[in-house]
Amino acid sequence: QLFAKMMLEQEELQCPDCKDKGEIVMDFAAGDNICRNCGLVVGDRIIDETSEWRTFANDENDNDPNRVGGPMNPFLEDGGLSTTIISTAKPGQQDKGGGALSKWHNRSAASSNDRALLNAFREIKNLADLLELPQTIVDRSNEIYKKVDDTKALRGRGLQAVVAAVIYIACRIEGVPRTYKEICGQTTATKKDIGRCSTAISKILGTNLETISSTNYMSRFCSRLELPMDVQRAASHVAAEATRLAIAAGKSPISVAAAAIYMVSCLSNDKKSQRDIAEVTSVSEVTIRNAYKDLYPYREQLIPAWWTPAESIDALPLN
């Protein structure tokens, strides 16, 4: 927005020599306003108000005297713009007081609530990295955690469980759901604790999470199985039709997605075993087999007409 404002101001400037309007450009390196027609320097020593991305670090000693600080954090009381004192002593060198000063300053400068929030935000970032989630999920998770923390409703709950539940809900809201098993595999919290925290957080937020469908998982599962796009689309169609016809009523969306992938892959040139699919979806082979048995009698209805399988539908295995 700031850059757009500056460009708009440039368009309104008029060259005093050739009287042309809208021909003034800024030379950011020299800090001059120059007319493109006649080359007259209309103004000099212009302050560049845009973001400064340049670093002044010296590669030899890794000293980074940046002239700008970090971004503002709206979730902290001071916006995250407080002063920070660091120690310049290297390992093995005698500390001349900078380390102790830094320690006591950091303890007194930030409130206990801000320190707890920063710790939670670090845990959210670490768990999101392990789950390979984008920054949008991290931002939404931070926002949700801040709202929940303000209510003090989950005081006494384990931090790992609350963080996992926050990420679970953020993924649901952003339309990229993750299963409890996937999240439990990257944290020390139990599935029961995460489920309880998720229910409590949903009540605090007052949001009704949309029902998860099998197609929500299809893209990620097929990508991990390295299946081509036509197989993914066909599997999504099978899962959607199975849900619409209530063929797999009572089955979890994940097991239906796994069974649909198995059915379609059996008809393609990229065949995947139930074990391969089980490893990716975190669903047991028995569960995939049972869901597949429910889909098998309706195979003629489920396989899309627009898809050209490599094998005949009659070649599908019984289980």
Side-chain angles (χ1 to χ4, degrees):
Q1 294 178 351
L2 180 60
F3 182 75
K5 180 181 178 182
M6 293 176 61
M7 294 304 296
L8 184 60
E9 292 176 352
Q10 295 295 114
E11 293 178 358
E12 295 175 352
L13 291 176
Q14 185 179 16
C15 177
D17 187 23
C18 61
K19 308 299 181 184
D20 280 341
K21 193 173 183 180
E23 297 296 328
I24 307 298
V25 296
M26 175 179 282
D27 182 355
F28 289 98
D32 298 335
N33 278 338
I34 304 173
C35 177
R36 286 190 293 190
N37 281 342
C38 62
L40 177 68
V41 177
V42 179
D44 58 356
R45 308 176 75 86
I46 304 299
I47 298 176
D48 182 6
E49 298 179 354
T50 58
S51 300
E52 179 179 38
W53 300 111
R54 178 183 173 187
T55 177
F56 295 87
N58 186 344
D59 294 336
E60 295 180 359
N61 54 24
D62 291 329
N63 188 20
D64 187 11
N66 280 325
R67 300 187 299 184
V68 293
M72 184 175 180
N73 191 336
F75 302 120
L76 301 180
E77 293 179 1
D78 59 359
L81 301 179
S82 58
T83 302
T84 302
I85 300 177
I86 62 173
S87 173
T88 58
K90 296 182 180 180
Q93 291 183 346
Q94 183 180 2
D95 188 2
K96 297 181 180 180
L101 181 61
S102 172
K103 180 175 66 175
W104 288 108
H105 171 78
N106 292 335
R107 284 182 180 179
S108 61
S111 65
S112 59
N113 188 46
D114 277 359
R115 287 197 297 269
L117 282 175
L118 288 172
N119 184 40
F121 293 162
R122 280 193 294 268
E123 293 293 333
I124 289 173
K125 178 62 176 175
N126 292 338
L127 183 54
D129 289 342
L130 291 174
L131 293 170
E132 299 179 353
L133 296 173
Q135 184 62 35
T136 53
I137 301 297
V138 176
D139 295 338
R140 179 56 66 94
S141 299
N142 290 343
E143 178 185 350
I144 294 173
Y145 186 91
K146 173 61 176 175
K147 291 180 180 178
V148 173
D149 183 70
D150 288 342
T151 64
K152 308 298 182 184
L154 294 183
R155 178 175 292 179
R157 301 287 181 94
L159 177 61
Q160 293 292 330
V162 176
V163 166
V166 163
I167 288 183
Y168 173 79
I169 291 177
C171 290
R172 291 279 299 272
I173 293 175
E174 294 296 326
V176 285
R178 293 297 187 270
T179 65
Y180 281 125
K181 284 187 178 181
E182 288 180 290
I183 297 177
C184 286
Q186 303 296 342
T187 183
T188 57
T190 64
K191 181 179 178 180
K192 181 184 293 186
D193 290 339
I194 297 175
R196 288 175 178 174
C197 290
S198 299
T199 303
I201 292 173
S202 297
K203 292 180 180 178
I204 293 171
L205 298 177
T207 57
N208 294 322
L209 300 177
E210 295 183 1
T211 304
I212 300 177
S213 64
S214 302
T215 54
N216 293 127
Y217 300 104
M218 198 65 68
S219 175
R220 183 156 46 91
F221 290 163
C222 290
S223 176
R224 291 181 178 178
L225 289 167
E226 298 181 350
L227 293 173
M229 183 56 65
D230 65 312
V231 174
Q232 176 183 324
R233 291 178 56 210
S236 299
H237 179 89
V238 170
E241 283 296 297
T243 302
R244 185 180 68 84
L245 299 174
I247 295 173
K251 302 288 185 182
S252 71
I254 303 174
S255 59
V256 175
I261 292 173
Y262 176 67
M263 174 178 282
V264 173
S265 69
C266 287
L267 299 177
S268 70
N269 291 323
D270 300 273
K271 294 177 173 54
K272 301 295 179 181
S273 66
Q274 293 179 3
R275 177 176 296 181
D276 295 334
I277 298 174
E279 291 178 356
V280 168
T281 60
S282 300
V283 177
S284 67
E285 295 181 49
V286 176
T287 302
I288 297 176
R289 194 175 301 117
N290 291 335
Y292 175 76
K293 287 180 180 178
D294 291 338
L295 302 183
Y296 181 79
Y298 304 92
R299 56 193 181 280
E300 297 283 351
Q301 298 173 250
L302 297 177
I303 300 299
W306 48 261
W307 184 53
T308 305
E311 304 282 349
S312 171
I313 296 180
D314 297 331
L316 281 173
L318 294 175
N319 51 45

